[in-house]
Amino acid sequence: LFLWPGSYGYSQETAPKPDDTASDANLLEFPLDLIDKGQQLISTQVTTLAESLDRFFGAERLYEEDNRSYLQMNLIGIKQPGVTPERVVDVRGRVALPRTQDRLNLLIEPNQQEQDGDQTTLLRNATDSTDTFAPADYSAALRFVIRLTDELRVNLDMGIRATEILEPFVRSRVRRTHSWQKWRLNLAETFYYYSSDGFEAHSEMDWERRLDDYTLIRSSSQADWLDREGRFKLNQSFYISNRINWRTGVVHRLSIIGYNEDPAAIDQYQLSFKLRRRLHRPWIFFQLEPLFLFNRNDNFSSSPAMLASIEMLFGYTSDNK
């Protein structure tokens, strides 16, 4: 009927003591949580700005890695000293097939040789053409989206490339993204197999940093393995992208292009300033790009060029603002 000390409860010797270790851990968790949330917020801002700028400037990578349906049409004018002005038609698009949860896409795009990350091929193809409007060679493919997350994306494409003949090809792309504070790292690897040219591979590493709400700097390192030539093509580019307002943006670019020949040598420098402006409709853009080429074959003397284009973009304008 009576609870004597020692019968129930705890004696003075056995009474539980506060867990000092747990208290210390809780004290540490609070500032670490604040640091984690701050890091996630800054990383999200970097990602949002990078994707917004890529979307506004029509970056190739955006169309490569997004799943939405779109149709893009470009009319490009090219002017070089001593060369008849040329115009090039460029059309590409993607259709996300219904009832596939965007995991199956139909692609139409210029051939990979036409979109290798610099303007050299475009300029050469235009000046070699005798057509008033010189369309690029095209490919059509069916894309299987194997994995799609914010950090990892894996695609597999199977299609036909149209040149002088119809040529089947297989392409696989893996992209990994990692963010830390104001920096974002993009790693991408693309493998190709063409029935006539054999294997090709494209490796890319991009470092991006947000300077303010409208400015991004990017360092892009690329390497292309060309099986038919047995050598690497190397490209190191630096970009400063700035969104002036809703209608206008500019990109400054410096590119260094070379091959791993024996010995490895720089083949060309490129310096350009790109002005892009949205016109009276949110899906029409005008772009002007003065470009200076410094070729090894010309002892790196300056060779100017001018690219101007009108771009129409359908089905992909909802967040272009």
Side-chain angles (χ1 to χ4, degrees):
L1 298 176
F2 296 96
L3 299 180
W4 294 93
S7 301
Y8 295 92
Y10 297 96
S11 65
Q12 185 176 359
E13 290 78 8
T14 60
K17 298 179 179 180
D19 192 342
D20 294 337
T21 304
S23 299
D24 293 342
N26 291 334
L27 289 174
L28 289 174
E29 283 294 328
F30 180 70
L32 289 177
D33 285 343
L34 290 179
I35 295 173
D36 285 342
K37 292 178 180 178
Q39 188 270 336
Q40 292 173 3
L41 176 61
I42 295 174
S43 299
T44 300
Q45 290 175 342
V46 176
T47 301
T48 301
L49 176 61
E51 292 179 352
S52 174
L53 289 172
D54 283 343
R55 189 172 298 114
F56 179 81
F57 289 107
E60 176 65 29
R61 183 179 65 186
L62 178 73
Y63 298 121
E64 179 66 30
E65 297 183 353
D66 202 284
N67 252 21
R68 284 172 284 184
S69 300
Y70 76 94
L71 176 65
Q72 181 192 41
M73 301 177 63
N74 273 311
L75 177 60
I76 306 171
I78 303 170
K79 173 60 178 175
Q80 294 178 274
V83 178
T84 304
E86 297 289 343
R87 284 168 286 183
V88 178
V89 178
D90 181 295
V91 179
R92 70 184 66 206
R94 176 177 52 244
V95 177
L97 299 182
R99 299 185 180 180
T100 62
Q101 298 181 340
D102 293 338
R103 296 285 177 163
L104 194 59
N105 300 165
L106 178 63
L107 309 177
I108 299 176
E109 59 189 14
N111 285 334
Q112 182 64 25
Q113 289 85 347
E114 307 290 340
Q115 45 174 321
D116 56 2
D118 60 72
Q119 305 293 355
T120 311
T121 305
L122 179 61
L123 292 170
R124 184 179 64 248
N125 289 347
T127 54
D128 289 345
S129 172
T130 58
D131 298 332
T132 303
F133 290 90
D137 295 329
Y138 283 91
S139 299
L142 196 61
R143 167 167 295 174
F144 302 88
V145 180
I146 300 173
R147 183 72 182 272
L148 179 60
T149 66
D150 291 337
E151 294 80 22
L152 180 64
R153 182 184 180 110
V154 183
N155 296 332
L156 176 64
D157 302 341
M158 293 185 291
I160 298 292
R161 180 174 69 171
T163 53
E164 289 89 4
I165 60 173
L166 294 179
E167 179 184 13
F169 71 90
V170 178
R171 176 176 60 198
S172 177
R173 177 179 172 87
V174 180
R175 186 266 294 158
R176 177 74 179 179
T177 300
H178 178 72
S179 298
W180 174 251
Q181 294 186 357
K182 292 186 178 182
W183 290 93
R184 185 172 77 154
L185 172 64
N186 291 292
L187 299 172
E189 187 70 34
T190 308
F191 299 96
Y192 308 83
Y193 177 76
Y194 297 100
S195 59
S196 61
D197 295 335
F199 287 98
E200 297 181 10
H202 175 79
S203 304
E204 186 171 352
M205 180 177 67
D206 291 352
W207 286 96
E208 302 167 341
R209 190 181 193 278
R210 173 180 175 270
L211 297 183
D212 55 41
D213 291 342
Y214 304 99
T215 308
L216 186 85
I217 59 173
R218 174 179 293 155
S219 170
S220 179
S221 305
Q222 301 180 24
D224 291 275
W225 168 254
L226 309 174
D227 195 42
R228 64 186 181 277
E229 299 180 9
R231 63 176 181 172
F232 281 99
K233 177 183 177 181
L234 308 174
N235 186 331
Q236 176 62 53
S237 296
F238 302 95
Y239 302 84
I240 301 177
S241 303
N242 180 256
R243 185 79 176 268
I244 298 175
N245 53 44
W246 179 74
R247 290 187 177 275
T248 309
V250 295
V251 178
H252 303 80
R253 176 177 65 90
L254 170 64
S255 296
I256 306 168
I257 302 167
Y259 293 90
N260 69 324
E261 298 169 327
D262 191 16
I266 294 175
D267 191 62
Q268 184 185 82
Y269 295 95
Q270 295 185 7
L271 183 65
S272 73
F273 172 83
K274 181 190 295 184
L275 172 67
R276 184 174 173 91
R277 181 171 177 81
R278 179 182 281 115
L279 300 181
H280 298 289
R281 294 291 183 269
W283 48 273
I284 303 179
F285 295 86
F286 171 74
Q287 189 165 286
L288 188 67
E289 184 175 7
L291 178 71
F292 295 91
L293 308 178
F294 303 86
N295 294 302
R296 181 175 58 174
N297 293 338
D298 298 329
N299 295 318
F300 296 105
S301 60
S302 174
S303 176
M306 178 70 74
L307 279 72
S309 67
I310 294 291
E311 176 186 314
M312 291 176 286
L313 187 60
F314 303 97
Y316 198 68
T317 60
S318 59
D319 51 359
N320 267 351
K321 297 183 179 182

Short mmCIF file of all heavy atoms in Angstrom, two decimals, residues 202-239:
data_model
loop_
_atom_site.label_atom_id
_atom_site.label_comp_id
_atom_site.label_asym_id
_atom_site.label_seq_id
_atom_site.Cartn_x
_atom_site.Cartn_y
_atom_site.Cartn_z
N HIS A 202 31.43 12.01 -77.64
CA HIS A 202 31.49 13.43 -77.28
C HIS A 202 31.45 13.53 -75.77
O HIS A 202 30.51 13.06 -75.12
CB HIS A 202 30.32 14.20 -77.88
CG HIS A 202 30.25 15.63 -77.47
ND1 HIS A 202 31.04 16.61 -78.02
CD2 HIS A 202 29.49 16.25 -76.52
CE1 HIS A 202 30.77 17.77 -77.45
NE2 HIS A 202 29.83 17.58 -76.54
N SER A 203 32.50 14.13 -75.18
CA SER A 203 32.58 14.33 -73.72
C SER A 203 32.51 15.81 -73.44
O SER A 203 33.10 16.63 -74.15
CB SER A 203 33.90 13.76 -73.17
OG SER A 203 34.05 12.40 -73.49
N GLU A 204 31.79 16.16 -72.37
CA GLU A 204 31.60 17.58 -72.05
C GLU A 204 31.59 17.78 -70.55
O GLU A 204 30.98 17.01 -69.80
CB GLU A 204 30.28 18.07 -72.65
CG GLU A 204 30.04 19.55 -72.49
CD GLU A 204 28.83 20.03 -73.27
OE1 GLU A 204 28.28 19.24 -74.05
OE2 GLU A 204 28.44 21.20 -73.10
N MET A 205 32.29 18.81 -70.10
CA MET A 205 32.30 19.21 -68.70
C MET A 205 32.11 20.71 -68.63
O MET A 205 32.92 21.48 -69.16
CB MET A 205 33.62 18.81 -68.02
CG MET A 205 33.68 19.22 -66.54
SD MET A 205 35.19 18.68 -65.70
CE MET A 205 36.41 19.71 -66.54
N ASP A 206 31.02 21.15 -68.00
CA ASP A 206 30.69 22.56 -67.88
C ASP A 206 30.68 22.97 -66.41
O ASP A 206 30.01 22.33 -65.58
CB ASP A 206 29.30 22.85 -68.48
CG ASP A 206 29.28 22.71 -69.99
OD1 ASP A 206 30.36 22.52 -70.58
OD2 ASP A 206 28.18 22.76 -70.57
N TRP A 207 31.41 24.04 -66.10
CA TRP A 207 31.33 24.70 -64.80
C TRP A 207 30.56 26.00 -64.98
O TRP A 207 30.89 26.80 -65.86
CB TRP A 207 32.72 24.99 -64.25
CG TRP A 207 33.46 23.79 -63.75
CD1 TRP A 207 34.38 23.04 -64.43
CD2 TRP A 207 33.33 23.19 -62.46
NE1 TRP A 207 34.84 22.03 -63.65
CE2 TRP A 207 34.22 22.08 -62.42
CE3 TRP A 207 32.57 23.49 -61.33
CZ2 TRP A 207 34.35 21.28 -61.30
CZ3 TRP A 207 32.70 22.68 -60.20
CH2 TRP A 207 33.59 21.59 -60.19
N GLU A 208 29.56 26.22 -64.13
CA GLU A 208 28.74 27.43 -64.22
C GLU A 208 28.70 28.12 -62.86
O GLU A 208 28.61 27.45 -61.82
CB GLU A 208 27.31 27.08 -64.65
CG GLU A 208 27.23 26.36 -65.98
CD GLU A 208 25.87 25.76 -66.25
OE1 GLU A 208 25.10 25.58 -65.28
OE2 GLU A 208 25.60 25.46 -67.43
N ARG A 209 28.74 29.45 -62.90
CA ARG A 209 28.66 30.22 -61.66
C ARG A 209 27.75 31.43 -61.86
O ARG A 209 27.87 32.13 -62.86
CB ARG A 209 30.03 30.70 -61.20
CG ARG A 209 30.01 31.30 -59.78
CD ARG A 209 31.39 31.78 -59.37
NE ARG A 209 31.46 32.07 -57.95
CZ ARG A 209 31.07 33.20 -57.37
NH1 ARG A 209 30.57 34.17 -58.14
NH2 ARG A 209 31.18 33.38 -56.07
N ARG A 210 26.87 31.63 -60.93
CA ARG A 210 25.95 32.77 -60.94
C ARG A 210 26.63 33.98 -60.34
O ARG A 210 27.11 33.94 -59.21
CB ARG A 210 24.69 32.41 -60.15
CG ARG A 210 23.70 33.53 -59.94
CD ARG A 210 22.52 32.99 -59.14
NE ARG A 210 21.57 34.03 -58.78
CZ ARG A 210 21.64 34.75 -57.65
NH1 ARG A 210 22.62 34.51 -56.80
NH2 ARG A 210 20.74 35.67 -57.39
N LEU A 211 26.70 35.08 -61.11
CA LEU A 211 27.28 36.32 -60.60
C LEU A 211 26.23 37.20 -59.94
O LEU A 211 26.46 37.80 -58.90
CB LEU A 211 27.97 37.09 -61.72
CG LEU A 211 29.17 36.39 -62.37
CD1 LEU A 211 29.81 37.30 -63.42
CD2 LEU A 211 30.20 35.98 -61.32
N ASP A 212 25.05 37.31 -60.58
CA ASP A 212 23.93 38.03 -60.00
C ASP A 212 22.66 37.44 -60.59
O ASP A 212 22.69 36.38 -61.22
CB ASP A 212 24.03 39.54 -60.22
CG ASP A 212 24.17 39.91 -61.69
OD1 ASP A 212 23.49 39.30 -62.54
OD2 ASP A 212 24.97 40.82 -62.01
N ASP A 213 21.55 38.12 -60.41
CA ASP A 213 20.26 37.57 -60.86
C ASP A 213 20.15 37.47 -62.38
O ASP A 213 19.24 36.81 -62.88
CB ASP A 213 19.11 38.42 -60.32
CG ASP A 213 18.96 38.29 -58.81
OD1 ASP A 213 19.50 37.32 -58.26
OD2 ASP A 213 18.32 39.17 -58.20
N TYR A 214 21.06 38.11 -63.12
CA TYR A 214 20.92 38.14 -64.57
C TYR A 214 22.19 37.73 -65.32
O TYR A 214 22.21 37.74 -66.55
CB TYR A 214 20.53 39.57 -65.02
CG TYR A 214 19.28 40.08 -64.37
CD1 TYR A 214 19.35 40.94 -63.27
CD2 TYR A 214 18.02 39.70 -64.82
CE1 TYR A 214 18.21 41.40 -62.65
CE2 TYR A 214 16.88 40.16 -64.21
CZ TYR A 214 16.97 41.01 -63.12
OH TYR A 214 15.82 41.47 -62.51
N THR A 215 23.24 37.36 -64.60
CA THR A 215 24.52 37.09 -65.24
C THR A 215 25.07 35.75 -64.81
O THR A 215 25.05 35.41 -63.62
CB THR A 215 25.55 38.19 -64.90
OG1 THR A 215 24.98 39.47 -65.20
CG2 THR A 215 26.83 38.00 -65.71
N LEU A 216 25.58 34.99 -65.78
CA LEU A 216 26.15 33.67 -65.53
C LEU A 216 27.45 33.55 -66.31
O LEU A 216 27.54 33.99 -67.46
CB LEU A 216 25.17 32.58 -66.00
CG LEU A 216 25.56 31.14 -65.66
CD1 LEU A 216 25.09 30.79 -64.25
CD2 LEU A 216 24.94 30.16 -66.67
N ILE A 217 28.47 32.97 -65.68
CA ILE A 217 29.71 32.63 -66.39
C ILE A 217 29.79 31.12 -66.53
O ILE A 217 29.30 30.38 -65.66
CB ILE A 217 30.96 33.19 -65.67
CG1 ILE A 217 31.07 32.63 -64.25
CG2 ILE A 217 30.94 34.70 -65.66
CD1 ILE A 217 32.36 33.00 -63.56
N ARG A 218 30.37 30.67 -67.61
CA ARG A 218 30.44 29.23 -67.89
C ARG A 218 31.77 28.89 -68.55
O ARG A 218 32.21 29.58 -69.46
CB ARG A 218 29.28 28.80 -68.79
CG ARG A 218 29.34 27.35 -69.26
CD ARG A 218 28.15 27.02 -70.13
NE ARG A 218 26.92 27.03 -69.37
CZ ARG A 218 25.71 27.25 -69.90
NH1 ARG A 218 25.59 27.51 -71.19
NH2 ARG A 218 24.63 27.23 -69.14
N SER A 219 32.37 27.82 -68.08
CA SER A 219 33.55 27.23 -68.73
C SER A 219 33.14 25.87 -69.26
O SER A 219 32.67 25.02 -68.50
CB SER A 219 34.70 27.09 -67.73
OG SER A 219 35.76 26.32 -68.29
N SER A 220 33.31 25.67 -70.57
CA SER A 220 32.87 24.44 -71.21
C SER A 220 34.06 23.74 -71.87
O SER A 220 34.71 24.32 -72.76
CB SER A 220 31.79 24.74 -72.27
OG SER A 220 31.36 23.54 -72.91
N SER A 221 34.36 22.54 -71.41
CA SER A 221 35.45 21.73 -71.98
C SER A 221 34.84 20.55 -72.73
O SER A 221 34.07 19.78 -72.15
CB SER A 221 36.38 21.22 -70.88
OG SER A 221 36.87 22.28 -70.09
N GLN A 222 35.19 20.41 -74.01
CA GLN A 222 34.61 19.36 -74.85
C GLN A 222 35.71 18.59 -75.58
O GLN A 222 36.74 19.17 -75.96
CB GLN A 222 33.66 19.96 -75.87
CG GLN A 222 32.51 20.74 -75.27
CD GLN A 222 31.58 21.32 -76.31
OE1 GLN A 222 31.49 20.84 -77.43
NE2 GLN A 222 30.87 22.38 -75.95
N ALA A 223 35.47 17.30 -75.74
CA ALA A 223 36.38 16.45 -76.50
C ALA A 223 35.55 15.53 -77.37
O ALA A 223 34.61 14.88 -76.88
CB ALA A 223 37.29 15.64 -75.57
N ASP A 224 35.87 15.48 -78.67
CA ASP A 224 35.17 14.61 -79.62
C ASP A 224 36.15 13.60 -80.18
O ASP A 224 37.20 13.99 -80.74
CB ASP A 224 34.57 15.44 -80.76
CG ASP A 224 33.42 16.30 -80.30
OD1 ASP A 224 32.29 15.80 -80.24
OD2 ASP A 224 33.65 17.49 -79.97
N TRP A 225 35.81 12.32 -80.03
CA TRP A 225 36.62 11.28 -80.64
C TRP A 225 36.02 10.93 -82.00
O TRP A 225 34.84 10.58 -82.10
CB TRP A 225 36.66 10.02 -79.78
CG TRP A 225 37.23 8.83 -80.51
CD1 TRP A 225 36.55 7.76 -80.99
CD2 TRP A 225 38.61 8.64 -80.88
NE1 TRP A 225 37.40 6.88 -81.61
CE2 TRP A 225 38.68 7.39 -81.56
CE3 TRP A 225 39.77 9.37 -80.70
CZ2 TRP A 225 39.88 6.88 -82.05
CZ3 TRP A 225 40.96 8.87 -81.19
CH2 TRP A 225 41.01 7.64 -81.85
N LEU A 226 36.81 11.08 -83.07
CA LEU A 226 36.37 10.81 -84.43
C LEU A 226 37.05 9.53 -84.89
O LEU A 226 38.24 9.52 -85.23
CB LEU A 226 36.73 11.98 -85.34
CG LEU A 226 36.28 13.36 -84.85
CD1 LEU A 226 36.81 14.46 -85.76
CD2 LEU A 226 34.77 13.43 -84.75
N ASP A 227 36.30 8.44 -84.90
CA ASP A 227 36.88 7.13 -85.21
C ASP A 227 37.41 7.07 -86.64
O ASP A 227 38.44 6.46 -86.91
CB ASP A 227 35.83 6.04 -84.98
CG ASP A 227 36.44 4.65 -84.93
OD1 ASP A 227 37.51 4.50 -84.31
OD2 ASP A 227 35.86 3.72 -85.52
N ARG A 228 36.72 7.73 -87.56
CA ARG A 228 37.14 7.68 -88.95
C ARG A 228 38.45 8.43 -89.18
O ARG A 228 39.16 8.18 -90.16
CB ARG A 228 36.04 8.27 -89.85
CG ARG A 228 35.76 9.74 -89.62
CD ARG A 228 34.57 10.22 -90.43
NE ARG A 228 34.29 11.64 -90.23
CZ ARG A 228 33.57 12.11 -89.22
NH1 ARG A 228 33.08 11.26 -88.32
NH2 ARG A 228 33.35 13.40 -89.10
N GLU A 229 38.78 9.37 -88.27
CA GLU A 229 40.03 10.12 -88.39
C GLU A 229 41.07 9.68 -87.37
O GLU A 229 42.25 10.03 -87.49
CB GLU A 229 39.76 11.62 -88.22
CG GLU A 229 38.81 12.18 -89.28
CD GLU A 229 38.55 13.66 -89.08
OE1 GLU A 229 39.23 14.27 -88.23
OE2 GLU A 229 37.67 14.21 -89.76
N GLY A 230 40.64 8.93 -86.36
CA GLY A 230 41.57 8.43 -85.37
C GLY A 230 42.20 9.52 -84.52
O GLY A 230 43.36 9.43 -84.14
N ARG A 231 41.45 10.54 -84.17
CA ARG A 231 41.98 11.63 -83.36
C ARG A 231 40.87 12.30 -82.58
O ARG A 231 39.68 12.12 -82.85
CB ARG A 231 42.69 12.66 -84.23
CG ARG A 231 41.77 13.36 -85.23
CD ARG A 231 42.52 14.43 -86.00
NE ARG A 231 41.66 15.13 -86.95
CZ ARG A 231 42.03 16.21 -87.64
NH1 ARG A 231 43.25 16.70 -87.48
NH2 ARG A 231 41.19 16.79 -88.48
N PHE A 232 41.28 13.10 -81.57
CA PHE A 232 40.35 13.89 -80.77
C PHE A 232 40.30 15.31 -81.29
O PHE A 232 41.32 15.90 -81.66
CB PHE A 232 40.79 13.93 -79.30
CG PHE A 232 40.45 12.69 -78.52
CD1 PHE A 232 41.41 11.71 -78.31
CD2 PHE A 232 39.19 12.52 -77.99
CE1 PHE A 232 41.11 10.58 -77.58
CE2 PHE A 232 38.87 11.39 -77.26
CZ PHE A 232 39.84 10.41 -77.05
N LYS A 233 39.10 15.86 -81.29
CA LYS A 233 38.92 17.30 -81.47
C LYS A 233 38.61 17.89 -80.11
O LYS A 233 37.72 17.42 -79.39
CB LYS A 233 37.78 17.60 -82.44
CG LYS A 233 37.50 19.08 -82.61
CD LYS A 233 36.32 19.32 -83.52
CE LYS A 233 36.01 20.81 -83.63
NZ LYS A 233 34.84 21.07 -84.49
N LEU A 234 39.35 18.93 -79.70
CA LEU A 234 39.25 19.51 -78.38
C LEU A 234 38.74 20.94 -78.48
O LEU A 234 39.15 21.69 -79.37
CB LEU A 234 40.61 19.49 -77.67
CG LEU A 234 41.30 18.13 -77.64
CD1 LEU A 234 42.70 18.26 -77.05
CD2 LEU A 234 40.49 17.11 -76.85
N ASN A 235 37.86 21.32 -77.57
CA ASN A 235 37.25 22.65 -77.59
C ASN A 235 37.12 23.15 -76.16
O ASN A 235 36.47 22.52 -75.33
CB ASN A 235 35.88 22.59 -78.26
CG ASN A 235 35.24 23.96 -78.44
OD1 ASN A 235 35.49 24.88 -77.67
ND2 ASN A 235 34.40 24.10 -79.46
N GLN A 236 37.77 24.26 -75.88
CA GLN A 236 37.62 24.92 -74.58
C GLN A 236 37.00 26.29 -74.82
O GLN A 236 37.55 27.13 -75.52
CB GLN A 236 38.97 25.08 -73.89
CG GLN A 236 38.92 25.84 -72.58
CD GLN A 236 38.07 25.14 -71.53
OE1 GLN A 236 38.28 23.96 -71.25
NE2 GLN A 236 37.09 25.84 -70.98
N SER A 237 35.81 26.52 -74.21
CA SER A 237 35.09 27.76 -74.42
C SER A 237 34.76 28.42 -73.09
O SER A 237 34.50 27.73 -72.09
CB SER A 237 33.80 27.53 -75.21
OG SER A 237 34.06 27.05 -76.51
N PHE A 238 34.74 29.75 -73.11
CA PHE A 238 34.37 30.54 -71.94
C PHE A 238 33.24 31.49 -72.35
O PHE A 238 33.33 32.14 -73.40
CB PHE A 238 35.57 31.33 -71.42
CG PHE A 238 36.75 30.48 -71.05
CD1 PHE A 238 37.77 30.27 -71.97
CD2 PHE A 238 36.84 29.89 -69.80
CE1 PHE A 238 38.86 29.48 -71.65
CE2 PHE A 238 37.92 29.10 -69.47
CZ PHE A 238 38.93 28.89 -70.39
N TYR A 239 32.20 31.55 -71.52
CA TYR A 239 31.02 32.35 -71.83
C TYR A 239 30.69 33.29 -70.68
O TYR A 239 30.83 32.92 -69.50
CB TYR A 239 29.79 31.47 -72.06
CG TYR A 239 29.91 30.45 -73.16
CD1 TYR A 239 30.50 29.21 -72.92
CD2 TYR A 239 29.41 30.69 -74.44
CE1 TYR A 239 30.59 28.26 -73.93
CE2 TYR A 239 29.51 29.75 -75.45
CZ TYR A 239 30.10 28.54 -75.18
OH TYR A 239 30.19 27.61 -76.18
#
